[in-house]
Amino acid sequence: MPLKPAAERADASPTGHAARPAARLRAGRQPDLPIGGLAGPFRRGLVRLGLAAASVALGWAAPALAQEPAAEPPKAYVVMDNDFAGPGGTDMQALLPLISDPTVSVLGLTVVTGDGWENEEAARLLRFLEIAGRPDIPVVNGATYPLMRTAFEMKLWEQRFGKIPWKGAWGGLGPIDKAPQQQPALPHLDEGLPTTPPASGLAANFLIKQVHAHPHQVTVIAAGPLTDIALAIRMDPSFAADAKQLVFMGGLIDTAMQSVTGNADFASDFNLIFDPEAAHIALTAPWPKITAVGDVSNSVMMDRALMDRIAAVKTPLTAYLSKYLNPLPLWDEMAAAIAVDPSLVTKSIDAYMDIDVSGGVDYGRAHIWPDALAPKDAGVRLVTIVQDIDRARFTDAFVKAAQWTPPTK
């Protein structure tokens, strides 16, 4: 069942402007000259006291001092681009730290093929927002395919260099042999079809528009393949520089041993592997700041005990989350939480980073250099690599966010 865009929502994006105090004009002051032995300030105080007494005697009401309106806390403007596979799971749960925080203005959500196909992801996302009570957030369709990579090419790569554990829309954890080369029709959705349509337009245009509408204020969270981000950069070279920062889920470093001794899927940098060229374009663009969350993202797991904490509060959202429990690390949830609360980070390191696009065994993998060795002429940029976070505080905040209910209107 095709989802028809709603043109009227194309420009509908939440805004939050802090109140600005009125400018004050300073009157010119006369020097304080001694008069009758009294210094100027003291004499003026007596004059004011006399006038006040006279006003009371004549029944005048003293005017109240003007109260300046309390300034609202500045909003954190956010656009999340993600492969919103579902129902439930890390892709959907990544929204919880954003939609539950009154200081965060979610300007919109853009959808990219990755863990699933884009049309299915968009439908599941719209339905999730309805259940969560936030159907007002614009959802914008994005890239259906990577810039260069195809299912057929990935199959050939696997034949030469070994299996990729998770292939997303191109076979999941299974073989790639039967993966469709083109996006299939929308399948049955267990959680139900959404009644809210997506916003009109495409993700790259939406990203550009929001960043320029709020110069140097928008945090772009890329929790899926970076195809939409790369398209925006290629369409508008000023896009990245005009944003506040890029926070992305990816950039796993030195995971070869983990793939042998631990869970190979958790050691696979899928978001970069699925579209290496897009990741290269995104990470060599002139962002004011780039933060990579991948290296720490396996440190907190979703399990039944954690979900039971969430489900202790009964809401339509917690019922949905509990029904579709997917025991995986809180990958995208952590990226979103760090984006809006960087104080969660307890350990990080800055290094230059780029993505291998040579097509060889390391195709789609991140490489880092210290300042002295980085090939800066190639456009590599400094990236903050998160190494550890306050896990207890993150987990407690995530539980609270999952139990959030929208304010009654």
Side-chain angles (χ1 to χ4, degrees):
M1 177 178 180
L3 295 171
K4 298 179 180 179
E8 63 272 17
R9 294 184 56 196
D11 298 323
S13 59
T15 57
H17 300 287
R20 297 184 180 179
R24 298 181 181 132
L25 297 177
R26 295 182 178 271
R29 295 183 57 186
Q30 299 296 326
D32 293 326
L33 299 177
I35 299 177
L38 297 177
F42 184 48
R43 177 177 176 274
R44 287 197 303 274
L46 290 178
V47 171
R48 293 192 187 103
L49 187 60
L51 289 173
S55 65
V56 171
L58 294 173
W60 298 341
L65 292 175
Q67 295 289 328
E68 293 184 0
E72 296 178 6
K75 292 281 189 179
Y77 293 111
V78 168
V79 176
M80 173 176 272
D81 184 85
N82 201 356
D83 48 351
F84 290 99
T90 183
D91 297 316
M92 297 299 178
Q93 291 166 181
L95 294 173
L96 300 176
L98 307 180
I99 64 175
S100 63
D101 190 337
T103 69
V104 175
S105 178
V106 183
L107 300 172
L109 305 168
T110 53
V111 187
V112 63
T113 289
D115 285 338
W117 287 101
E118 194 277 340
N119 59 343
E120 180 181 344
E121 293 171 345
R124 292 191 186 276
L125 172 58
L126 288 162
R127 182 66 186 129
F128 171 84
L129 292 172
E130 291 174 349
I131 294 168
R134 289 302 309 271
D136 57 296
I137 299 176
V139 171
V140 188
N141 294 108
T144 305
Y145 307 104
L147 298 184
M148 299 289 292
R149 203 149 211 190
T150 64
F152 179 72
E153 179 276 327
M154 183 178 281
K155 178 181 176 180
L156 295 178
W157 188 94
E158 283 192 325
Q159 291 172 358
R160 294 186 63 194
F161 301 113
K163 301 293 185 183
I164 297 172
W166 173 255
K167 291 175 277 292
W170 294 342
L173 289 170
I176 199 171
D177 297 344
K178 297 181 180 179
Q181 297 293 313
Q182 295 184 334
Q183 177 169 265
L186 188 66
H188 168 76
L189 304 185
D190 183 69
E191 67 273 38
L193 287 170
T195 59
T196 309
S200 62
L202 292 173
N205 289 320
F206 181 85
L207 286 159
I208 293 168
K209 180 178 179 179
Q210 296 304 320
V211 162
H212 291 320
H214 309 280
H216 311 295
Q217 299 177 73
V218 178
T219 293
V220 176
I221 305 173
L226 289 104
T227 317
D228 289 334
I229 311 301
L231 288 170
I233 291 166
R234 284 294 190 252
M235 289 168 61
D236 181 355
S238 66
F239 162 72
D242 219 16
K244 178 180 180 180
Q245 62 177 331
L246 171 69
V247 178
F248 77 100
M249 172 55 222
L252 296 172
I253 308 299
D254 300 330
T255 57
M257 185 59 72
Q258 181 185 345
S259 69
V260 175
T261 60
N263 188 312
D265 179 26
F266 296 175
S268 179
D269 214 343
F270 171 75
N271 289 341
L272 308 188
I273 291 170
F274 194 75
D275 195 343
E277 286 76 16
H280 165 72
I281 291 169
L283 296 186
T284 53
W287 306 91
K289 180 176 176 59
I290 304 174
T291 301
V293 182
D295 226 33
V296 71
S297 61
N298 288 314
S299 61
V300 181
M301 286 286 296
M302 170 57 73
D303 55 22
R304 174 48 65 184
L306 180 56
M307 186 57 74
D308 285 345
R309 286 180 60 189
I310 293 171
V313 174
K314 306 300 182 185
T315 71
L317 178 57
T318 59
Y320 167 93
L321 296 172
S322 182
K323 179 178 181 180
Y324 298 114
L325 167 67
N326 195 354
L328 292 171
L330 297 179
W331 290 313
D332 297 356
E333 301 92 330
M334 193 175 293
I338 289 171
V340 296
D341 184 8
S343 70
L344 285 168
V345 178
T346 59
K347 184 180 180 182
S348 65
I349 190 169
D350 290 341
Y352 288 84
M353 179 182 288
D354 199 0
I355 309 304
D356 191 318
V357 292
S358 65
V361 66
D362 287 328
Y363 187 34
R365 302 189 187 280
H367 293 268
I368 58 173
W369 298 267
D371 181 81
L373 303 179
K376 298 175 186 177
D377 290 344
V380 295
R381 303 215 168 248
L382 203 61
V383 173
T384 297
I385 302 168
V386 179
Q387 296 175 291
D388 206 357
I389 65 166
D390 186 333
R391 303 177 196 183
R393 185 158 70 88
F394 163 70
T395 304
D396 290 344
F398 178 72
V399 170
K400 184 178 179 181
Q403 295 170 339
W404 169 86
T405 55
T408 56
K409 296 181 179 179

